[in-house]
Amino acid sequence: KNQVEQSPQSLIILEGKNCTLQCNYTVSPFSNLRWYKQDTGRGPVSLTIMTFSENTKSNGRYTATLDADTKQSSLHITASQLSDSASYICVVGSSGGSYIPTFGRGTSLIVHP
Amino acid sequence: SQTIHQWPATLVQPVGSPLSLECTVEGTSNPNLYWYRQAAGRGLQLLFYSVGIGQISSEVPQNLSASRPQDRQFILSSKKLLLSDSGFYLCAWSGGLARGNEQFFGPGTRLTVL
């Protein structure tokens, strides 16, 4: 069964600090992995998308890494800002003909001033 | 560029009343369309998806139904709402497997059933 596990479930950090969110998956065959940011009461917005051959991708202060061998990904946020407070969702797509990606339950990040 | 719209943004309905949520996509053709529900503090639960007009697949048995009367229109309905139908409903579209099936989400509808 395809699964995506995210950790930690929630995280509180001070403004200006860095943090790293984790994502482990068992989706097979693997196609791509996406990180979304979801502000409270809003739809998720894509931050990065990585395929099998990519092991890192950046979007401003967000850097995602992918280790396809260990089936792990991380999202690193540098110099956090109050606006980074949101839920971060890891989503893995399969190349096995399914139109349905597998979602993690998300990590809730709170950035305090 | 592609855009996705949902309405209404918020809705408060009594138990037993009908429901109709609408989602439309602009700037693309033949998208895959999805309805998700997100309970408070929980992950996204896939309800329905569609790969073409009139083609609907249901992922979770429930009292909700979906229809796709036009290529870029996806409607979520219920004849009689339950308290458990409360939640945040998200519509999404994707360009299919050829584009990595990356999904783009609408702004969502907050439904409260009283």
Side-chain angles (χ1 to χ4, degrees):
Chain A
K1 180 181 179 181
N2 291 337
Q3 286 187 314
V4 175
E5 300 289 339
Q6 291 188 244
S7 62
Q9 183 176 354
S10 61
L11 183 62
I12 301 174
I13 62 174
L14 293 176
E15 186 179 13
K17 298 296 185 182
N18 303 335
C19 68
T20 300
L21 314 180
Q22 301 290 344
C23 173
N24 297 335
Y25 63 92
T26 59
V27 176
S28 182
F30 174 85
S31 174
N32 55 63
L33 185 146
R34 292 106 69 177
W35 283 94
Y36 287 87
K37 177 186 178 187
Q38 185 180 20
D39 292 318
T40 301
R42 309 289 293 272
V45 175
S46 181
L47 293 174
T48 64
I49 178 170
M50 291 182 291
T51 59
F52 185 87
S53 60
E54 298 173 298
N55 55 22
T56 187
K57 184 164 281 188
S58 293
N59 179 359
R61 294 179 297 102
Y62 301 101
T63 300
T65 64
L66 172 65
D67 186 332
D69 291 331
T70 62
K71 297 186 178 181
Q72 295 179 325
S73 176
S74 65
L75 180 68
H76 186 74
I77 304 175
T78 304
S80 61
Q81 300 176 359
L82 297 180
S83 59
D84 292 331
S85 295
S87 179
Y88 292 84
I89 305 170
C90 177
V91 182
V92 182
S94 174
S95 58
S98 171
Y99 295 99
I100 306 170
T102 304
F103 282 72
R105 298 187 66 172
T107 291
S108 176
L109 173 65
I110 298 175
V111 180
H112 279 311
Chain B
S1 62
Q2 302 87 4
T3 56
I4 178 169
H5 304 279
Q6 286 185 247
W7 63 89
T10 60
L11 191 59
V12 180
Q13 292 284 95
V15 170
S17 64
L19 172 73
S20 181
L21 303 181
E22 189 164 345
C23 170
T24 59
V25 181
E26 297 177 353
T28 187
S29 59
N30 196 32
N32 294 335
L33 297 172
Y34 306 79
W35 277 112
Y36 290 89
R37 177 170 58 203
Q38 187 175 37
R42 304 290 295 275
L44 274 70
Q45 178 188 34
L46 179 64
L47 301 175
F48 301 94
Y49 72 95
S50 170
V51 299
I53 295 175
Q55 301 179 59
I56 309 294
S57 296
S58 174
E59 289 298 300
V60 181
Q62 60 216 320
N63 71 320
L64 299 171
S65 62
S67 62
R68 184 170 179 174
Q70 301 180 43
D71 181 45
R72 289 169 288 178
Q73 184 184 31
F74 206 21
I75 298 173
L76 184 68
S77 305
S78 175
K79 293 182 179 179
K80 290 186 177 182
L81 283 169
L82 306 173
L83 287 174
S84 58
D85 291 324
S86 293
F88 190 52
Y89 288 82
L90 287 160
C91 180
W93 75 272
S94 75
L97 297 174
R99 295 175 60 178
N101 211 28
E102 181 177 9
Q103 292 179 316
F104 301 90
F105 288 85
T109 294
R110 173 74 59 193
L111 172 65
T112 303
V113 182
L114 301 176

